[in-house]
Amino acid sequence: MRVLNEWGVGEAVEGHSHGDSDSGMPLLIDGEKRQWKRGEDDVDGAFCPQQVLVRNLIRVFLRDGGDLRFEARDLSLHDIGTEQPLVRYREADGSTRTVTCDFVAGADGYRGVSRTAIPEDVLTCFTHEFGYAWLTVLTEAPADPLAVLAVHARGFAAQITRGPHASRLYLQCPLTDTVEQWPDERVWTELEARFGTPVDPQGPITNKQVVPLRGVVFSPMGFGRLYLLGDAAHLISPMSAQGMSLALHDADVLARGVVQHVEKNDSSLLDGYSDTCLNHTWERQASAVWMTQTMHDSGDPGYEGEFRKQIARKNLETMLEPSAAPHSTS
Ligand SMILES: Cc1cc2nc3c(=O)[nH]c(=O)nc-3n(C[C@H](O)[C@H](O)[C@H](O)COP(=O)(O)OP(=O)(O)OC[C@H]3O[C@@H](n4cnc5c(N)ncnc54)[C@H](O)[C@@H]3O)c2cc1C
């Protein structure tokens, strides 16, 4: 929100519910409803589905005269180690176009081509696998409240809004699970079991995916005049719900660096781009790993065992308002 407002594009999330999102989001532990503690550093936020934010930002960009080219195919980067890198692509009609650039922002996601333009011996990939996955499900059923998380012996579960008519369901599952093992009926039954309560309304399911939980960081976050942003440079556990914010952070740092370079002929911000963003990313990765382990180890002991479950539950309690129910010591 802060970054969008500072760049004058806060209107892209207008109409989406603001406020302290975390403390308003119930957590169900073995079916018992708990509330997050309100932190001193809680800031204004908004529940805005990512596709809505992207659509609104595109609208603002085009309205303000931005040049955005859709349907670019066979994209490739050249001469990124020089002062005039080139981006080549094919238009929808098959003709080839070349754009001569001062800088290239490689913001084409984890499977994009930007990162592959960097010589292999320059990049180091650091990765952490959590050992489980999420079945992520898109359904045409609204979430009410906007987000519910659940910790349960059968595994983690969540339902998060994706606008007034849709939501995403998340169910922790083994890495080896396939979408075929999760017919629609099983999804709803399992969600209700982990929530410990009926889920209403239920709606048609339009997409299912199995996403392994992991953290990935590529270093350095660029080479020559190419800068890597967002998922092209790092993946963060979706438990942290930080991937989009990290991408926006990178864009903010790069944009400030380019403006300073162009307006003041000062490249210090650009020179520090990779270090600044890596520092921020590692900070967020650290809290994402802690949060992911705490939420998952607290539930199904099948992965890390009962000892870690008890530790994770104690860690979880430090973030919650006291329970109204008497505590079991088993
Ligand atoms: C299950 C799950 C849940 C998540 N939940 C959240 C959440 O709640 N909050 C949050 O902040 N983040 C969340 N994330 C992470 C978030 O979605 C990503 O971190 C974010 O989309 C990264 O943005 P990006 O712009 O770097 O990449 P992307 O969103 O992947 O965008 C890359 C773009 O580049 C385009 N592209 C790729 N290759 C090419 C090419 N060769 N030519 C032209 N175009 C190309 C793609 O079409 C795409 O439009 C979640 C991720 C997952 C998997």
Side-chain angles (χ1 to χ4, degrees):
M1 287 295 295
R2 180 184 56 75
V3 168
L4 294 174
N5 284 330
E6 282 175 9
W7 285 97
V9 289
E11 64 186 278
V13 286
E14 258 166 30
H16 288 273
S17 57
H18 289 231
D20 168 26
S21 47
D22 279 0
S23 61
M25 183 193 303
L27 171 68
L28 299 165
I29 302 184
D30 296 331
E32 186 200 345
K33 193 170 173 180
R34 302 288 302 275
Q35 295 296 336
W36 299 96
K37 267 185 199 157
R38 205 188 152 86
E40 282 168 16
D41 56 352
D42 283 350
V43 290
D44 193 26
F47 268 112
C48 180
Q50 184 166 341
Q51 75 278 13
V52 175
L53 176 64
V54 172
R55 190 185 63 207
N56 291 349
L57 286 173
I58 287 174
R59 188 180 297 144
V60 173
F61 185 70
L62 293 177
R63 184 196 66 200
D64 295 348
D67 175 5
L68 187 54
R69 304 179 194 185
F70 294 97
E71 307 298 333
R73 299 200 184 123
D74 300 336
L75 199 127
S76 58
L77 275 56
H78 307 268
D79 303 339
I80 56 170
T82 71
E83 295 208 341
Q84 285 213 317
L86 305 174
V87 175
R88 287 213 176 92
Y89 67 93
R90 227 161 25 90
E91 297 269 20
D93 65 6
S95 59
T96 304
R97 298 287 297 266
T98 301
V99 183
T100 306
C101 311
D102 294 314
F103 307 101
V104 180
D108 50 358
Y110 189 66
R111 300 188 190 287
V113 294
S114 303
R115 198 177 59 245
T116 62
I118 299 181
E120 263 181 41
D121 58 345
V122 170
L123 271 188
T124 305
C125 175
F126 302 96
T127 171
H128 174 69
E129 305 286 342
F130 288 91
Y132 35 77
W134 277 4
L135 175 76
T136 84
V137 175
L138 192 60
T139 172
E140 288 169 11
D144 181 21
L146 296 175
V148 181
L149 306 183
V151 163
H152 192 275
R154 299 171 73 112
F156 172 81
Q159 181 175 24
I160 316 260
T161 180
R162 283 293 177 265
H165 310 294
S167 57
R168 252 192 201 283
L169 316 176
Y170 300 103
L171 291 166
Q172 179 187 2
C173 65
L175 286 169
T176 47
D177 269 18
T178 60
V179 164
E180 290 70 35
Q181 290 171 273
W182 286 91
D184 297 2
E185 200 183 293
R186 183 180 172 204
V187 170
W188 291 112
T189 312
E190 190 62 26
L191 191 71
E192 292 192 326
R194 295 184 190 189
F195 278 9
T197 177
V199 176
D200 184 40
Q202 299 183 1
I205 285 177
T206 51
N207 182 271
K208 285 180 208 153
Q209 270 176 288
V210 174
V211 179
L213 262 67
R214 58 184 163 164
V216 181
V217 175
F218 288 93
S219 173
M221 280 177 53
F223 178 73
R225 290 288 184 110
L226 166 67
Y227 300 86
L228 298 179
L229 292 82
D231 281 14
H234 37 66
L235 292 180
I236 192 162
S237 160
M239 184 71 246
S240 69
Q242 290 276 336
M244 187 170 69
S245 303
L246 276 182
L248 287 170
H249 172 271
D250 297 344
D252 178 46
V253 175
L254 181 61
R256 285 179 198 282
V258 170
V259 168
Q260 181 170 295
H261 179 86
V262 171
E263 288 184 349
K264 299 188 178 150
N265 197 25
D266 175 356
S267 66
S268 54
L269 283 181
L270 275 182
D271 294 343
Y273 172 79
S274 180
D275 286 346
T276 306
C277 293
L278 280 173
N279 186 43
H280 181 77
T281 298
W282 282 122
E283 222 173 80
R284 296 300 167 99
Q285 296 280 357
S287 56
V289 166
W290 190 85
M291 194 63 184
T292 305
Q293 289 176 340
T294 301
M295 294 295 283
H296 291 80
D297 294 354
S298 291
D300 181 353
Y303 294 89
E304 295 295 340
E306 191 60 31
F307 187 92
R308 285 277 290 273
K309 176 170 175 170
Q310 295 300 333
I311 299 295
R313 288 255 165 147
K314 290 295 175 206
N315 285 335
L316 191 52
E317 284 298 331
T318 64
M319 294 186 284
L320 302 174
E321 296 294 346
S323 166
H327 264 282
S328 139
T329 51
S330 64

